[in-house]
Amino acid sequence: LGARSAGMAHACLTLSDVWSTHHNQGGLGWLKDPSAGVYFENRFGLKELSQMGAAIAIPVGNGAFGLNYSGFGWSLYKESKIGLAYGMKFNDKISGGVQVNYHSLRLANNYGSNMAFTVEAGLQARVTDALTIGMQVYNPTKTKLNDYYDERIPTIMRFGAGYRFSDKVLVTCEAEKELEFDAIFRVGLEYMPGDKFYIRGGIATNPGIAAFGFGLKLDSFRADISSTYHQILGFSPQVSLSYVISKK
């Protein structure tokens, strides 16, 4: 979720913003102000493959609570997920978080619906002022969704790093491994030519995609637009809007 992440080919494990409630709950521990965001993706230009999402993060004490929602599909096939997270800063270098998810899957024409619960956890470590590393595990319990063909929600492990070369340039990379499939590798770049404008790009494997995007920051308001490109299936445009309630 989030067009900032999409514009960097989703190499987002070390980012810290309201979308950390979805990408890496460890990023919530660094947040200082309440924030909220909404997201929409039109995958491959097909309305039936549209995805939408929303997220809220509220700092409390040494950490922050996060709530996120994502929905995918249309009237005949619909997936949705609601997640409740908490991330906490352990010290000036390390932050970690956990999340509990409620999943719902509904098929029309008398096929019915199903639900399940999963957990996930993430960690971020600021090794230096420039280097951050992160890791996350999703559904380590291999939760079963349906007895039919022993259908299970994927178990995914991710590890990544982000390096800030300057106040204007951030490079991120990560590897993702789902138990049943080959690893995915991602690299992303965020460049800030001015105080309010961002340019982003990235590439990923399995499947091979290219990504690009732009961001605009106006005080507490932020707008991001991006697209990923698959050489056979085409473009998937994304847009997200977020707002930070600054204590200042």
Side-chain angles (χ1 to χ4, degrees):
L1 300 182
R4 181 191 184 194
S5 165
M8 302 169 71
H10 292 295
C12 56
L13 199 57
T14 57
L15 302 182
S16 178
D17 56 25
V18 66
W19 301 110
S20 294
T21 59
H22 182 81
H23 302 308
N24 183 355
Q25 295 72 30
L28 292 173
W30 310 114
L31 300 184
K32 298 180 180 180
D33 301 311
S35 53
V38 292
Y39 168 77
F40 180 78
E41 175 183 0
N42 185 214
R43 193 168 301 176
F44 309 128
L46 299 174
K47 66 178 182 179
E48 292 84 1
L49 300 184
S50 294
Q51 183 175 25
M52 61 185 67
I56 299 173
I58 302 176
V60 178
N62 243 9
F65 285 97
L67 179 67
N68 68 78
Y69 164 83
S70 63
F72 171 81
W74 80 112
S75 59
L76 297 182
Y77 177 89
K78 184 71 174 181
E79 295 179 14
S80 63
K81 186 189 81 167
I82 299 174
L84 178 62
Y86 179 73
M88 184 176 68
K89 182 174 67 173
F90 301 116
N91 53 45
D92 291 339
K93 297 290 186 181
I94 300 176
S95 175
V98 296
Q99 180 166 298
V100 177
N101 302 309
Y102 169 79
H103 300 261
S104 175
L105 173 63
R106 182 176 61 83
L107 285 78
N109 298 331
N110 299 321
Y111 281 101
S113 61
N114 211 340
M115 54 78 66
F117 289 92
T118 62
V119 296
E120 54 186 299
L123 187 72
Q124 285 187 0
R126 295 183 171 178
V127 182
T128 68
D129 290 341
L131 176 64
T132 300
I133 60 174
M135 60 189 70
Q136 194 214 31
V137 59
Y138 177 83
N139 187 31
T141 58
K142 300 178 64 176
T143 298
K144 181 183 291 188
L145 182 63
N146 201 312
D147 290 330
Y148 184 70
Y149 278 105
D150 193 33
E151 183 179 6
R152 295 180 182 272
I153 295 175
T155 296
I156 301 172
M157 295 170 287
R158 300 161 63 210
F159 179 83
Y163 193 85
R164 188 169 291 280
F165 287 89
S166 68
D167 292 339
K168 296 182 178 296
V169 180
L170 171 66
V171 175
T172 59
C173 61
E174 70 176 60
E176 175 184 304
K177 183 67 173 72
E178 185 180 336
L179 294 184
E180 305 296 330
F181 296 94
D182 293 337
I184 299 172
F185 299 95
R186 303 184 178 101
V187 178
L189 168 69
E190 182 176 71
Y191 173 59
M192 187 178 180
D195 293 337
K196 302 180 183 298
F197 186 64
Y198 296 83
I199 301 173
R200 305 183 180 102
I203 56 174
T205 66
N206 294 330
I209 65 168
F212 59 92
F214 306 93
L216 183 64
K217 184 178 180 182
L218 299 173
D219 295 326
S220 297
F221 179 77
R222 185 171 190 160
D224 297 296
I225 186 170
S226 62
S227 182
T228 55
Y229 175 73
H230 187 284
Q231 61 181 348
I232 297 175
L233 301 175
F235 290 93
S236 298
Q238 303 97 4
V239 61
S240 63
L241 304 173
S242 58
Y243 187 83
V244 177
I245 305 175
S246 175
K247 295 178 181 178
K248 297 180 181 181

